[in-house]
Amino acid sequence: VMSKASVAVFGAYGHTGHFIVSELRKRGWRPILSGRDAERLKALSNATGGLEVRAASVEDPASLDQALHGAAAVINCAGPFIDTITPIIEAALRARIPCLDMAAEQQAALIPFERFADAARNAGIAIIPAMAFYGGLADLMVTAAMGDWTAVDDVRIAIALDSWHPTQGTRITGRRNTARRLVISKYGLDHLPDPPPTREWEFPAPFGTQQVVSLPLSEMITLFQHVKAREIHSYMNLAPLKDLRDPNTPPPKPADDSGRSSQVFVMDVVLANGNEARRATVQGRDIYAISATLVVEAMERILSSAHKPVGVLAPGEAFDARDFLQALTPEHLSLMLP
Ligand SMILES: NC(=O)c1ccc[n+]([C@@H]2O[C@H](COP(=O)([O-])OP(=O)(O)OC[C@H]3O[C@@H](n4cnc5c(N)ncnc54)[C@H](OP(=O)(O)O)[C@@H]3O)[C@@H](O)[C@H]2O)c1
Protein backbone atom coordinates (compact mmCIF):
# COMPACT_ATOMS: atom_id res chain seq x y z
CA VAL A 1 0.00 0.00 0.00
CA MET A 2 1.33 3.45 -0.84
CA SER A 3 1.78 5.52 2.29
CA LYS A 4 -0.25 8.72 2.70
CA ALA A 5 1.35 12.00 3.75
CA SER A 6 3.23 12.54 6.99
CA VAL A 7 1.52 14.00 10.05
CA ALA A 8 3.40 15.59 12.94
CA VAL A 9 2.29 14.41 16.38
CA PHE A 10 3.45 16.76 19.14
CA GLY A 11 3.42 14.88 22.45
CA ALA A 12 3.73 11.55 20.63
CA TYR A 13 5.15 9.55 23.54
CA GLY A 14 2.31 10.44 25.91
CA HIS A 15 -0.51 8.00 26.61
CA THR A 16 -2.93 9.62 24.15
CA GLY A 17 -0.03 10.18 21.75
CA HIS A 18 0.59 6.42 21.57
CA PHE A 19 -3.03 5.85 20.55
CA ILE A 20 -2.80 8.63 17.94
CA VAL A 21 0.39 7.23 16.43
CA SER A 22 -1.13 3.79 16.19
CA GLU A 23 -4.41 5.11 14.70
CA LEU A 24 -2.45 7.08 12.09
CA ARG A 25 -0.41 4.03 11.12
CA LYS A 26 -3.53 1.87 10.92
CA ARG A 27 -4.99 4.34 8.43
CA GLY A 28 -1.80 4.53 6.35
CA TRP A 29 -0.40 7.91 7.45
CA ARG A 30 3.24 8.45 8.33
CA PRO A 31 3.49 9.88 11.86
CA ILE A 32 6.40 12.20 12.63
CA LEU A 33 7.12 11.68 16.32
CA SER A 34 7.63 15.00 18.05
CA GLY A 35 7.84 16.22 21.64
CA ARG A 36 10.39 17.58 24.05
CA ASP A 37 12.15 14.39 25.17
CA ALA A 38 14.41 12.97 22.44
CA GLU A 39 15.06 9.74 24.37
CA ARG A 40 11.39 8.90 24.80
CA LEU A 41 10.75 9.74 21.13
CA LYS A 42 13.56 7.40 20.12
CA ALA A 43 12.14 4.62 22.29
CA LEU A 44 8.72 5.03 20.67
CA SER A 45 10.35 5.04 17.25
CA ASN A 46 12.17 1.79 18.04
CA ALA A 47 8.91 0.23 19.18
CA THR A 48 7.07 1.30 16.02
CA GLY A 49 9.44 0.20 13.26
CA GLY A 50 11.65 3.29 13.10
CA LEU A 51 9.23 6.18 12.62
CA GLU A 52 10.87 9.57 12.07
CA VAL A 53 11.79 11.46 15.26
CA ARG A 54 11.93 15.25 15.51
CA ALA A 55 12.46 16.53 19.04
CA ALA A 56 11.16 20.06 19.54
CA SER A 57 10.35 22.47 22.32
CA VAL A 58 7.53 25.01 22.62
CA GLU A 59 10.20 27.48 23.78
CA ASP A 60 12.08 27.11 20.49
CA PRO A 61 10.01 28.10 17.44
CA ALA A 62 12.75 27.00 15.01
CA SER A 63 12.61 23.48 16.44
CA LEU A 64 8.84 23.46 15.91
CA ASP A 65 9.31 24.62 12.31
CA GLN A 66 11.63 21.68 11.76
CA ALA A 67 9.19 19.30 13.41
CA LEU A 68 6.35 20.42 11.11
CA HIS A 69 8.43 20.66 7.94
CA GLY A 70 6.79 18.73 5.12
CA ALA A 71 3.93 17.48 7.31
CA ALA A 72 0.38 17.67 5.97
CA ALA A 73 -1.05 18.46 9.43
CA VAL A 74 -0.11 18.64 13.08
CA ILE A 75 -1.88 16.99 15.98
CA ASN A 76 -1.04 18.46 19.38
CA CYS A 77 -1.58 15.97 22.21
CA ALA A 78 0.86 17.55 24.70
CA GLY A 79 -1.03 18.99 27.63
CA PRO A 80 -1.56 21.08 29.78
CA PHE A 81 -2.58 22.87 26.59
CA ILE A 82 -2.37 26.23 28.27
CA ASP A 83 1.42 25.71 27.82
CA THR A 84 1.49 24.26 24.29
CA ILE A 85 -1.51 25.45 22.31
CA THR A 86 -0.19 28.90 21.35
CA PRO A 87 3.31 27.92 20.12
CA ILE A 88 1.98 24.91 18.19
CA ILE A 89 -0.72 26.99 16.48
CA GLU A 90 1.86 29.65 15.62
CA ALA A 91 4.08 26.98 14.07
CA ALA A 92 1.12 25.54 12.11
CA LEU A 93 0.34 29.03 10.80
CA ARG A 94 3.93 29.46 9.63
CA ALA A 95 3.84 26.03 7.99
CA ARG A 96 0.30 26.66 6.65
CA ILE A 97 -0.97 23.25 7.76
CA PRO A 98 -4.11 22.32 9.73
CA CYS A 99 -3.72 22.04 13.49
CA LEU A 100 -5.82 19.96 15.88
CA ASP A 101 -5.55 19.60 19.65
CA MET A 102 -7.21 17.77 22.53
CA ALA A 103 -7.71 20.51 25.11
CA ALA A 104 -10.28 19.79 27.80
CA GLU A 105 -9.35 23.02 29.62
CA GLN A 106 -11.73 25.85 28.85
CA GLN A 107 -9.08 28.56 29.10
CA ALA A 108 -6.89 26.77 26.56
CA ALA A 109 -9.78 26.14 24.15
CA LEU A 110 -10.61 29.85 24.22
CA ILE A 111 -7.18 30.88 22.95
CA PRO A 112 -7.54 29.91 19.27
CA PHE A 113 -11.02 31.48 18.97
CA GLU A 114 -9.92 34.71 20.66
CA ARG A 115 -6.48 35.12 19.13
CA PHE A 116 -6.08 33.17 15.90
CA ALA A 117 -9.36 33.45 13.96
CA ASP A 118 -8.05 36.02 11.45
CA ALA A 119 -4.63 34.41 11.17
CA ALA A 120 -6.17 31.00 10.42
CA ARG A 121 -8.39 32.50 7.69
CA ASN A 122 -5.47 34.40 6.19
CA ALA A 123 -3.27 31.32 6.18
CA GLY A 124 -6.13 29.27 4.71
CA ILE A 125 -5.88 26.55 7.36
CA ALA A 126 -8.25 24.91 9.83
CA ILE A 127 -7.49 25.10 13.52
CA ILE A 128 -9.71 22.78 15.55
CA PRO A 129 -9.36 22.82 19.32
CA ALA A 130 -10.67 20.17 21.71
CA MET A 131 -11.05 17.48 19.07
CA ALA A 132 -11.32 14.75 21.72
CA PHE A 133 -13.68 13.01 24.16
CA TYR A 134 -14.04 16.14 26.32
CA GLY A 135 -15.00 18.96 24.04
CA GLY A 136 -15.31 17.56 20.55
CA LEU A 137 -17.53 14.55 21.16
CA ALA A 138 -20.18 16.59 23.01
CA ASP A 139 -19.93 19.29 20.33
CA LEU A 140 -20.57 16.74 17.56
CA MET A 141 -23.38 15.05 19.52
CA VAL A 142 -25.21 18.32 20.17
CA THR A 143 -24.73 19.42 16.56
CA ALA A 144 -26.06 16.11 15.25
CA ALA A 145 -29.03 16.19 17.64
CA MET A 146 -29.86 19.78 16.64
CA GLY A 147 -30.33 18.65 13.06
CA ASP A 148 -32.51 21.27 11.36
CA TRP A 149 -32.98 23.40 14.50
CA THR A 150 -31.31 26.80 14.17
CA ALA A 151 -31.62 27.59 17.87
CA VAL A 152 -32.34 25.67 21.06
CA ASP A 153 -33.66 26.64 24.50
CA ASP A 154 -31.88 24.13 26.67
CA VAL A 155 -29.04 21.62 26.21
CA ARG A 156 -27.99 19.12 28.90
CA ILE A 157 -24.94 16.92 28.40
CA ALA A 158 -24.34 14.10 30.89
CA ILE A 159 -21.33 11.78 30.99
CA ALA A 160 -21.03 8.60 33.01
CA LEU A 161 -17.76 6.69 33.39
CA ASP A 162 -17.51 3.42 35.33
CA SER A 163 -14.07 4.53 36.55
CA TRP A 164 -11.30 6.95 35.68
CA HIS A 165 -7.72 5.78 35.97
CA PRO A 166 -6.02 9.04 35.06
CA THR A 167 -2.75 9.55 33.21
CA GLN A 168 -0.08 11.84 34.61
CA GLY A 169 -1.10 14.36 31.95
CA THR A 170 -4.69 14.31 33.20
CA ARG A 171 -3.52 14.86 36.77
CA ILE A 172 -1.14 17.69 35.90
CA THR A 173 -3.70 19.36 33.66
CA GLY A 174 -6.37 19.08 36.38
CA ARG A 175 -4.10 20.71 38.94
CA ARG A 176 -3.28 23.54 36.55
CA ASN A 177 -6.89 24.04 35.47
CA THR A 178 -8.01 26.26 38.34
CA ALA A 179 -9.79 29.01 36.39
CA ARG A 180 -13.43 29.56 37.30
CA ARG A 181 -15.46 27.30 34.98
CA LEU A 182 -17.87 28.64 32.42
CA VAL A 183 -21.34 27.49 31.38
CA ILE A 184 -23.75 28.90 28.82
CA SER A 185 -26.60 30.73 30.49
CA LYS A 186 -28.98 33.32 29.04
CA TYR A 187 -27.19 32.98 25.67
CA GLY A 188 -23.78 33.94 27.10
CA LEU A 189 -20.76 32.42 28.81
CA ASP A 190 -21.26 32.76 32.54
CA HIS A 191 -19.53 31.48 35.68
CA LEU A 192 -20.50 28.10 37.04
CA PRO A 193 -22.18 28.56 40.42
CA ASP A 194 -20.10 27.58 43.44
CA PRO A 195 -20.72 24.89 44.65
CA PRO A 196 -21.52 23.34 41.26
CA PRO A 197 -25.13 22.15 40.90
CA THR A 198 -25.91 18.46 41.28
CA ARG A 199 -28.88 16.46 40.04
CA GLU A 200 -30.01 12.96 39.15
CA TRP A 201 -29.61 11.59 35.65
CA GLU A 202 -31.09 8.49 34.10
CA PHE A 203 -28.38 6.88 31.98
CA PRO A 204 -28.86 3.79 29.83
CA ALA A 205 -27.56 0.45 31.15
CA PRO A 206 -25.14 -0.45 32.65
CA PHE A 207 -25.23 2.87 34.54
CA GLY A 208 -28.89 3.50 35.32
CA THR A 209 -29.87 6.38 37.59
CA GLN A 210 -26.88 8.27 38.98
CA GLN A 211 -26.13 11.41 40.89
CA VAL A 212 -24.26 13.86 38.62
CA VAL A 213 -22.43 17.14 39.22
CA SER A 214 -22.02 20.06 36.85
CA LEU A 215 -18.60 19.76 35.15
CA PRO A 216 -18.31 22.07 32.16
CA LEU A 217 -15.19 21.58 30.04
CA SER A 218 -14.05 22.72 26.59
CA GLU A 219 -17.39 21.71 24.96
CA MET A 220 -18.85 24.95 26.42
CA ILE A 221 -16.29 26.97 24.52
CA THR A 222 -16.70 25.20 21.18
CA LEU A 223 -20.51 25.02 21.38
CA PHE A 224 -20.67 28.72 22.21
CA GLN A 225 -19.06 29.46 18.82
CA HIS A 226 -21.81 27.97 16.73
CA VAL A 227 -24.88 26.82 18.67
CA LYS A 228 -27.46 29.43 19.56
CA ALA A 229 -28.60 28.11 22.94
CA ARG A 230 -30.12 29.87 25.93
CA GLU A 231 -28.71 27.31 28.37
CA ILE A 232 -26.03 24.62 28.04
CA HIS A 233 -24.99 22.60 31.07
CA SER A 234 -22.80 19.52 31.32
CA TYR A 235 -22.57 16.94 34.08
CA MET A 236 -20.57 13.93 35.17
CA ASN A 237 -21.34 11.05 37.52
CA LEU A 238 -19.44 10.86 40.80
CA ALA A 239 -17.47 7.58 40.67
CA PRO A 240 -14.83 8.83 38.19
CA LEU A 241 -14.39 12.09 40.11
CA LYS A 242 -13.75 10.10 43.28
CA ASP A 243 -11.09 8.11 41.36
CA LEU A 244 -9.49 11.35 40.18
CA ARG A 245 -9.35 12.83 43.67
CA ASP A 246 -7.64 9.70 45.04
CA PRO A 247 -3.85 10.06 44.58
CA ASN A 248 -3.57 6.25 44.74
CA THR A 249 -5.76 5.56 41.70
CA PRO A 250 -3.41 3.88 39.20
CA PRO A 251 -2.90 5.02 35.58
CA PRO A 252 -4.90 3.27 32.83
CA LYS A 253 -4.00 -0.34 32.09
CA PRO A 254 -4.36 -1.98 28.65
CA ALA A 255 -7.09 -4.61 28.58
CA ASP A 256 -7.42 -5.47 24.88
CA ASP A 257 -5.27 -5.93 21.76
CA SER A 258 -5.46 -2.25 20.83
CA GLY A 259 -4.25 -1.16 24.27
CA ARG A 260 -7.60 0.18 25.43
CA SER A 261 -8.43 -0.05 29.12
CA SER A 262 -11.64 -1.65 30.35
CA GLN A 263 -13.17 1.77 31.12
CA VAL A 264 -16.60 2.33 29.57
CA PHE A 265 -18.38 5.62 28.97
CA VAL A 266 -21.79 6.90 28.01
CA MET A 267 -22.66 10.43 26.94
CA ASP A 268 -26.29 11.56 26.86
CA VAL A 269 -27.39 14.77 25.20
CA VAL A 270 -30.88 16.14 25.81
CA LEU A 271 -32.18 19.16 23.89
CA ALA A 272 -35.37 21.09 24.51
CA ASN A 273 -36.84 23.67 22.19
CA GLY A 274 -40.33 25.01 22.91
CA ASN A 275 -42.30 21.84 23.62
CA GLU A 276 -40.08 19.63 21.48
CA ALA A 277 -37.36 17.42 22.95
CA ARG A 278 -34.55 15.42 21.38
CA ARG A 279 -32.18 12.92 22.90
CA ALA A 280 -28.93 11.42 21.64
CA THR A 281 -26.66 8.85 23.27
CA VAL A 282 -23.21 7.57 22.52
CA GLN A 283 -21.35 4.76 24.27
CA GLY A 284 -17.86 3.39 24.00
CA ARG A 285 -14.69 2.31 25.71
CA ASP A 286 -11.63 4.20 27.02
CA ILE A 287 -11.82 8.00 26.83
CA TYR A 288 -8.12 8.31 25.85
CA ALA A 289 -8.36 5.82 22.99
CA ILE A 290 -11.57 7.33 21.61
CA SER A 291 -9.93 10.77 21.74
CA ALA A 292 -7.22 9.50 19.40
CA THR A 293 -9.82 8.07 17.03
CA LEU A 294 -11.74 11.36 17.03
CA VAL A 295 -8.73 13.55 16.28
CA VAL A 296 -7.40 11.30 13.52
CA GLU A 297 -10.85 11.02 11.91
CA ALA A 298 -11.06 14.83 12.01
CA MET A 299 -7.63 15.29 10.50
CA GLU A 300 -8.40 12.82 7.73
CA ARG A 301 -11.65 14.62 6.92
CA ILE A 302 -9.89 17.98 6.71
CA LEU A 303 -7.18 16.68 4.39
CA SER A 304 -9.51 14.72 2.14
CA SER A 305 -12.36 17.20 1.74
CA ALA A 306 -12.85 18.96 -1.58
CA HIS A 307 -13.75 22.23 0.16
CA LYS A 308 -11.25 22.36 2.97
CA PRO A 309 -12.57 23.93 6.16
CA VAL A 310 -10.74 27.16 6.96
CA GLY A 311 -10.54 29.21 10.17
CA VAL A 312 -10.69 28.39 13.88
CA LEU A 313 -13.61 25.98 13.97
CA ALA A 314 -15.61 24.00 16.47
CA PRO A 315 -15.87 20.33 15.46
CA GLY A 316 -19.58 20.71 14.67
CA GLU A 317 -18.79 23.65 12.37
CA ALA A 318 -15.97 21.91 10.54
CA PHE A 319 -17.72 18.60 9.88
CA ASP A 320 -21.05 17.01 9.10
CA ALA A 321 -21.54 15.88 12.71
CA ARG A 322 -23.95 13.04 11.97
CA ASP A 323 -21.79 11.61 9.22
CA PHE A 324 -18.65 11.95 11.36
CA LEU A 325 -20.17 10.07 14.30
CA GLN A 326 -21.76 7.39 12.16
CA ALA A 327 -18.42 6.72 10.50
CA LEU A 328 -17.08 5.58 13.89
CA THR A 329 -19.84 3.04 14.43
CA PRO A 330 -19.96 0.20 15.23
CA GLU A 331 -16.20 -0.27 15.62
CA HIS A 332 -15.52 2.61 18.02
CA LEU A 333 -18.90 3.89 19.17
CA SER A 334 -22.47 2.79 19.58
CA LEU A 335 -24.74 5.64 18.73
CA MET A 336 -28.36 6.66 19.00
CA LEU A 337 -29.31 9.88 17.24
CA PRO A 338 -32.80 11.36 16.85
N1 LIG B 1 -10.16 16.43 25.84
C1 LIG B 1 -9.99 15.14 26.11
O1 LIG B 1 -10.94 14.37 26.15
C2 LIG B 1 -8.62 14.60 26.33
C3 LIG B 1 -8.36 13.26 26.09
C4 LIG B 1 -7.06 12.79 26.30
C5 LIG B 1 -6.08 13.65 26.75
N2 LIG B 1 -6.40 14.96 26.98
C6 LIG B 1 -5.38 15.89 27.42
O2 LIG B 1 -4.22 15.64 26.69
C7 LIG B 1 -3.08 15.91 27.48
C8 LIG B 1 -2.20 14.69 27.46
O3 LIG B 1 -2.84 13.67 28.13
P1 LIG B 1 -2.22 12.20 28.22
O4 LIG B 1 -3.26 11.38 28.84
O5 LIG B 1 -1.69 11.76 26.93
O6 LIG B 1 -1.03 12.46 29.26
P2 LIG B 1 0.44 11.86 29.35
O7 LIG B 1 0.46 10.41 29.02
O8 LIG B 1 0.98 12.28 30.66
O9 LIG B 1 1.22 12.62 28.18
C9 LIG B 1 1.40 13.98 28.21
C10 LIG B 1 2.36 14.33 27.09
O10 LIG B 1 2.42 15.76 26.94
C11 LIG B 1 3.79 16.15 26.99
N3 LIG B 1 3.90 17.53 27.47
C12 LIG B 1 3.28 18.11 28.52
N4 LIG B 1 3.65 19.40 28.64
C13 LIG B 1 4.52 19.62 27.64
C14 LIG B 1 5.25 20.77 27.23
N5 LIG B 1 5.17 21.94 27.88
N6 LIG B 1 6.07 20.65 26.15
C15 LIG B 1 6.17 19.48 25.48
N7 LIG B 1 5.51 18.39 25.83
C16 LIG B 1 4.69 18.45 26.89
C17 LIG B 1 4.42 15.15 27.90
O11 LIG B 1 5.81 15.17 27.78
P3 LIG B 1 6.76 15.04 29.09
O12 LIG B 1 6.58 13.62 29.58
O13 LIG B 1 8.10 15.33 28.58
O14 LIG B 1 6.24 16.03 30.11
C18 LIG B 1 3.77 13.88 27.37
O15 LIG B 1 4.34 13.46 26.18
C19 LIG B 1 -3.60 16.30 28.85
O16 LIG B 1 -3.65 17.71 28.92
C20 LIG B 1 -5.00 15.74 28.88
O17 LIG B 1 -5.88 16.50 29.70
C21 LIG B 1 -7.64 15.45 26.76
Side-chain angles (χ1 to χ4, degrees):
V1 209
M2 205 177 72
S3 196
K4 297 182 198 162
S6 53
V7 174
V9 182
F10 189 75
Y13 57 82
H15 185 71
T16 311
H18 274 85
F19 283 118
I20 292 170
V21 168
S22 111
E23 184 75 24
L24 285 169
R25 293 176 78 207
K26 222 165 61 190
R27 296 183 186 219
W29 300 89
R30 265 180 299 132
I32 295 169
L33 310 180
S34 191
R36 62 180 163 188
D37 188 328
E39 290 304 309
R40 294 189 65 186
L41 291 170
K42 194 81 194 87
L44 177 59
S45 172
N46 291 338
T48 50
L51 291 173
E52 188 175 356
V53 166
R54 297 187 194 168
S57 156
V58 293
E59 273 104 56
D60 179 359
S63 72
L64 295 176
D65 290 343
Q66 274 163 15
L68 270 48
H69 181 77
V74 56
I75 297 175
N76 179 9
C77 53
F81 290 92
I82 202 76
D83 297 333
T84 65
I85 196 167
T86 298
I88 299 296
I89 287 176
E90 287 171 345
L93 286 165
R94 290 192 299 275
R96 294 183 177 259
I97 57 172
C99 177
L100 303 100
D101 71 65
M102 341 269 297
E105 311 125 90
Q106 294 188 328
Q107 294 307 314
L110 274 168
I111 290 172
F113 293 108
E114 288 181 344
R115 294 188 39 202
F116 293 106
D118 290 342
R121 267 193 304 271
N122 293 337
I125 64 164
I127 296 174
I128 306 194
M131 194 56 246
F133 177 77
Y134 294 112
L137 184 57
D139 191 291
L140 291 170
M141 287 292 290
V142 172
T143 308
M146 289 277 292
D148 56 347
W149 287 359
T150 54
V152 58
D153 294 330
D154 191 280
V155 176
R156 306 278 153 165
I157 299 155
I159 291 171
L161 309 178
D162 63 341
S163 66
W164 191 349
H165 291 190
T167 60
Q168 199 190 10
T170 293
R171 288 198 183 278
I172 296 171
T173 303
R175 282 199 291 273
R176 290 280 301 286
N177 190 17
T178 53
R180 186 91 184 266
R181 290 178 197 274
L182 302 167
V183 296
I184 293 168
S185 187
K186 302 193 182 71
Y187 295 104
L189 285 171
D190 195 3
H191 284 133
L192 175 70
D194 187 15
T198 60
R199 54 173 288 174
E200 257 183 12
W201 191 278
E202 237 172 273
F203 291 102
F207 291 99
T209 305
Q210 302 243 343
Q211 196 71 20
V212 295
V213 60
S214 191
L215 186 70
L217 291 163
S218 50
E219 75 286 348
M220 279 308 153
I221 307 304
T222 63
L223 285 167
F224 185 66
Q225 307 302 320
H226 67 112
V227 174
K228 193 168 169 229
R230 195 177 61 209
E231 299 288 322
I232 304 184
H233 298 275
S234 33
Y235 303 90
M236 184 179 276
N237 67 330
L238 305 183
L241 298 174
K242 188 159 168 269
D243 285 345
L244 265 191
R245 268 195 309 274
D246 180 352
N248 296 317
T249 304
K253 191 170 87 218
D256 72 8
D257 290 347
S258 63
R260 294 188 304 179
S261 72
S262 60
Q263 179 193 51
V264 290
F265 65 79
V266 54
M267 181 186 290
D268 276 339
V269 168
V270 173
L271 280 63
N273 204 29
N275 48 22
E276 276 188 85
R278 288 179 179 174
R279 188 182 183 106
T281 298
V282 62
Q283 289 180 268
R285 183 166 163 181
D286 190 330
I287 61 174
Y288 298 98
I290 196 65
S291 292
T293 305
L294 288 165
V295 79
V296 172
E297 175 73 22
M299 182 221 73
E300 211 162 58
R301 280 175 182 247
I302 293 171
L303 293 182
S304 67
S305 65
H307 300 281
K308 293 210 181 354
V310 166
V312 179
L313 300 166
E317 281 182 297
F319 309 111
D320 176 336
R322 177 175 287 268
D323 187 71
F324 188 115
L325 292 165
Q326 276 168 347
L328 301 184
T329 65
E331 194 189 345
H332 302 280
L333 296 174
S334 71
L335 184 66
M336 227 186 56
L337 293 175

